[in-house]
Amino acid sequence: MPGGGEQTHFGYQSVPLEDKQGRVDDVFHSVARRYDLMNDLMSGGLHRAWKDALLTAVNPPKSERNFHVLDLAGGTGDVAFRIVGAGGHGTRVTVCDINAGMLEVGRERATARGFDGLVAFEQGNAEQLPYADRSFDCVTVAFGIRNVPRIDKALDEAHRVLRIGGRFLCLEFSSVDVPGIDALYELYSFQVIPRMGELVTGDRDAYQYLVESIRKFPRPKAFSRMIEAAGFRRASFTPMTGGVVALHSGWRL
Ligand SMILES: C[S@@+](CC[C@H](N)C(=O)[O-])C[C@H]1O[C@@H](n2cnc3c(N)ncnc32)[C@H](O)[C@@H]1O
């Protein structure tokens, strides 16, 4: 191992741990303006149903009661807009993302939708959150955690900033184990998505990284154990769409 430092995966490549974040940042800077369009195209709109399942689990109060959600790696605000749209007057979301380009698109979208004041976009690293202990009622992360170099640190931080009785919810790509579907999914992932990414965003490598990073992410039982190791209780997960995605849950009790 060059220099003897710790290595990690950037897609299928082995890279020094300290280099991964910079590579991930380049990916999301490059695709930020076309990010939401690509999500619709490559998932055939399914990401909306997956995010709706996340929203159902968040279950923001319809009343005036204060309810503050932290949407980690929240990018352009898609999950945040759903939560404030469904909640009552006391529901607020802070989107925390490391990437200024994604946050800029998010702020523009929030203004266009009339969500200014309800959704705050703040730059921060999930591994070292700029928030006080026990300051949120719920922490969400959608399709973000696998991009973070030190996932265990991000889980520890999510646990630290969650109030006692609060829920952690994580939507992430998972493992397709249904015979027949797995082969089709493999074909679609590696033959179609990078080409589609090139056509729509001009960046094939970004979408090659995306499909490879999904394959390198821990299987759902292993990720559930990581959630428990961070101190969350009653960790569970629900596979969706034949295991393409799983919704993970844990409580701070
Ligand atoms: C696939 S996008 C998901 C965006 C959004 N949650 C959604 O579902 O549309 C992944 C996001 O993770 C962010 N990210 C990567 N590493 C991060 C880190 N260390 N801390 C916070 N955000 C990070 C990226 O900037 C990017 O916006």
Side-chain angles (χ1 to χ4, degrees), residues 123-227:
Q123 196 167 11
N125 188 339
E127 294 177 1
Q128 202 174 3
L129 290 173
Y131 306 111
D133 295 357
R134 301 177 189 178
S135 43
F136 294 95
D137 298 293
C138 179
V139 176
T140 54
V141 51
F143 308 115
I145 200 89
R146 73 175 190 287
N147 299 292
V148 176
R150 298 165 190 86
I151 292 175
D152 51 344
K153 283 200 169 171
L155 293 173
D156 287 347
E157 281 290 86
H159 186 266
R160 180 182 66 75
V161 301
L162 196 57
R163 72 165 167 80
I164 309 291
R167 193 174 190 186
F168 171 71
L169 289 158
C170 178
L171 198 55
E172 191 48 270
F173 289 104
S174 194
S175 318
V176 176
D177 290 326
V178 185
I181 306 273
D182 52 0
L184 270 178
Y185 180 58
E186 199 72 2
L187 196 73
Y188 180 72
S189 299
F190 285 93
Q191 300 305 321
V192 179
I193 289 181
R195 283 176 207 188
M196 199 188 273
E198 183 168 26
L199 279 174
V200 177
T201 70
D203 189 343
R204 185 190 180 110
D205 291 349
Y207 285 88
Q208 184 72 29
Y209 159 72
L210 175 112
V211 293
E212 291 180 1
S213 65
I214 291 170
R215 298 306 182 285
K216 285 291 174 192
F217 190 68
R219 294 175 73 81
K221 276 188 188 158
F223 183 54
S224 200
R225 284 194 293 272
M226 290 174 74
I227 290 174

Side-chain angles (χ1 to χ4, degrees), residues 21 24 28 35 51 73-75 97-99 102 124-126 142-143 147:
Q21 188 70 63
V24 167
F28 289 102
Y35 173 77
K51 287 171 179 166
D97 197 286
I98 204 163
N99 194 299
M102 295 288 278
N125 188 339
F143 308 115
N147 299 292

Side-chain angles (χ1 to χ4, degrees), residues 19-195:
D19 288 1
K20 174 165 172 168
Q21 188 70 63
R23 308 273 298 257
V24 167
D25 293 349
D26 289 346
V27 164
F28 289 102
H29 269 299
S30 163
V31 304
R33 292 270 147 205
R34 292 270 161 133
Y35 173 77
D36 292 288
L37 171 64
M38 254 313 272
N39 275 353
D40 269 331
L41 291 176
M42 69 185 169
S43 75
L46 270 175
H47 76 108
R48 294 165 185 262
W50 299 327
K51 287 171 179 166
D52 283 347
L54 170 63
L55 174 65
T56 301
V58 172
N59 192 21
K62 303 280 180 284
S63 65
E64 308 277 309
R65 180 161 69 82
N66 284 339
F67 186 73
H68 196 176
V69 180
L70 174 65
D71 186 34
L72 269 183
T76 60
D78 220 22
V79 166
F81 301 150
R82 280 163 210 270
I83 295 172
V84 292
H89 289 304
T91 300
R92 299 277 179 280
V93 181
T94 297
V95 171
C96 178
D97 197 286
I98 204 163
N99 194 299
M102 295 288 278
L103 290 167
E104 191 182 305
V105 174
R107 287 189 194 102
E108 289 167 12
R109 295 176 83 210
T111 304
R113 289 161 191 233
F115 286 141
D116 285 336
L118 298 178
V119 180
F121 287 87
E122 297 176 357
Q123 196 167 11
N125 188 339
E127 294 177 1
Q128 202 174 3
L129 290 173
Y131 306 111
D133 295 357
R134 301 177 189 178
S135 43
F136 294 95
D137 298 293
C138 179
V139 176
T140 54
V141 51
F143 308 115
I145 200 89
R146 73 175 190 287
N147 299 292
V148 176
R150 298 165 190 86
I151 292 175
D152 51 344
K153 283 200 169 171
L155 293 173
D156 287 347
E157 281 290 86
H159 186 266
R160 180 182 66 75
V161 301
L162 196 57
R163 72 165 167 80
I164 309 291
R167 193 174 190 186
F168 171 71
L169 289 158
C170 178
L171 198 55
E172 191 48 270
F173 289 104
S174 194
S175 318
V176 176
D177 290 326
V178 185
I181 306 273
D182 52 0
L184 270 178
Y185 180 58
E186 199 72 2
L187 196 73
Y188 180 72
S189 299
F190 285 93
Q191 300 305 321
V192 179
I193 289 181
R195 283 176 207 188

